[in-house]
């Protein structure tokens, strides 16, 4: 199975900050990488698919990059509604695997 | 509007069975791969299984192979997960998930989830 890791596991930031989260796959997954946001008690929401494509309806302050084994999710200017847990997920092969998550909270 | 509504969760003893259902609406259900993803309390997301549009292909995570069966009824716009020989580690919120039309392992819409608790 492909293992996904994320760093950091948590971070504290202020509204307006630029935030970046890293995801690493245990083998090359080309650009088969998605990012999801999950708020407490809610289902995850797709933010980015295919490493860098913004899902419809998602604010443009979210962006994704990378290929192969190393990927990044960037929030250009953190907003109050962005405090959540972020998961990366490889869609290269089954079993689909998720990263452990990165919790973004208020400094 | 796309809607996925799960049902069938509850409390079950170890070794017991449950059948989860997912009622889909707002899109052409028969045109999409569908999946189940679960999340144990305070833990990360875990993909469980998925199924092709016509039911001809299905895949499972190793930990549920031989115990869980994914199925669908396109006439009823419904997805199912039959869970047998349940274990404490199967305790989780189970989400019904729709795949992206062009990426069978990526998911765009999620239901709100149904809770499964396996405990004596």
């Amino acid at each position: 199975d492909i293992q996904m890791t994320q760093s950091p596991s948590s971070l504290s930031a202020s509204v307006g900050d630029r935030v970046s989260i890293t995801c690493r796959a245990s083998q090359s997954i080309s650009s088969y990488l998605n990012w999801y946001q999950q708020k407490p008690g809610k289902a995850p929401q797709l933010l980015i698919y295919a490493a860098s494509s913004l899902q419809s309806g998602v604010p443009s302050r979210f962006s994704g990059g990378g290929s192969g084994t190393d990927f990044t999710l960037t929030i250009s200017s953190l907003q109050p509604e962005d405090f959540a847990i972020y998961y990366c997920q490889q869609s290269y092969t089954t079993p689909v695997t998720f990263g452990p998550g990165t919790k973004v909270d208020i400094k | 509007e796309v809607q996925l509504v799960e049902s069938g969760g509850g409390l079950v003893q170890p070794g017991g069975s449950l059948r989860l259902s997912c009622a889909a609406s707002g899109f052409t259900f028969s045109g999409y791969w569908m999946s189940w993803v679960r999340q144990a309390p305070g833990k990360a997301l875990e993909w469980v299984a998925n199924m092709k549009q016509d039911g001809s292909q299905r895949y499972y995570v190793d930990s549920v192979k031989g115990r869980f069966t994914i199925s669908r009824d396109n006439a009823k716009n419904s997805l199912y997960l039959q869970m047998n020989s349940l274990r404490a580690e199967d305790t989780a919120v189970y989400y019904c998930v729709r795949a992206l039309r062009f990426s069978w392992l990526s998911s765009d819409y999620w239901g709100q989830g149904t809770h499964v608790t396996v405990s004596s």
Side-chain angles (χ1 to χ4, degrees):
Chain A
D1 298 0
I2 298 175
Q3 307 303 317
M4 308 300 294
T5 57
Q6 289 180 234
S7 60
S9 57
S10 66
L11 66 90
S12 295
S14 301
V15 172
D17 284 353
R18 181 181 181 89
V19 169
S20 290
I21 299 169
T22 297
C23 176
R24 178 165 289 174
S26 60
Q27 67 182 73
S28 177
I29 57 172
S30 185
S31 295
Y32 292 92
L33 191 284
N34 306 316
W35 289 98
Y36 298 86
Q37 176 194 67
Q38 187 177 33
K39 296 179 181 179
K42 301 294 187 181
Q45 176 189 356
L46 178 65
L47 300 176
I48 302 285
Y49 62 91
S52 61
S53 296
L54 194 67
Q55 172 68 354
S56 176
V58 174
S60 59
R61 64 181 179 272
F62 291 94
S63 65
S67 66
T69 60
D70 295 314
F71 302 87
T72 303
L73 173 71
T74 299
I75 309 172
S76 60
S77 178
L78 200 63
Q79 297 301 300
E81 60 268 30
D82 300 337
F83 293 95
I85 298 176
Y86 294 84
Y87 294 97
C88 63
Q89 175 232 329
Q90 64 83 12
S91 56
Y92 181 76
T93 189
T94 57
V96 168
T97 45
F98 291 85
T102 294
K103 184 177 182 180
V104 177
D105 61 21
I106 302 173
K107 181 182 287 185
Chain B
E1 179 193 4
V2 172
Q3 285 198 318
L4 299 167
V5 180
E6 303 93 338
S7 60
L11 174 63
V12 61
Q13 292 188 340
S17 299
L18 275 179
R19 188 193 195 209
L20 306 184
S21 299
C22 170
S25 61
F27 66 102
T28 304
F29 180 74
S30 60
Y32 291 82
W33 281 80
M34 296 294 297
S35 302
W36 289 97
V37 175
R38 67 185 179 182
Q39 187 171 35
K43 300 297 185 183
L45 300 163
E46 181 184 33
W47 176 84
V48 175
N50 70 349
M51 190 169 204
K52 193 176 180 180
Q53 293 92 323
D54 61 1
S56 62
Q57 294 179 41
R58 60 188 87 183
Y59 300 90
Y60 299 90
V61 69
D62 280 351
S63 60
V64 309
K65 282 180 183 175
R67 300 189 300 122
F68 290 12
T69 302
I70 187 172
S71 62
R72 64 192 295 163
D73 185 336
N74 287 341
K76 294 183 177 180
N77 292 334
S78 292
L79 181 73
Y80 306 100
L81 186 67
Q82 177 66 45
M83 303 187 297
N84 299 330
S85 302
L86 282 160
R87 306 166 180 167
E89 54 265 35
D90 296 318
T91 294
V93 175
Y94 284 74
Y95 294 102
C96 170
V97 182
R98 189 185 85 167
L100 286 172
R101 192 66 186 261
F102 47 85
S103 178
W104 65 295
L105 294 179
S106 303
S107 305
D108 56 0
Y109 284 93
W110 298 58
Q112 284 308 297
T114 187
H115 290 255
V116 172
T117 302
V118 184
S119 174
S120 55

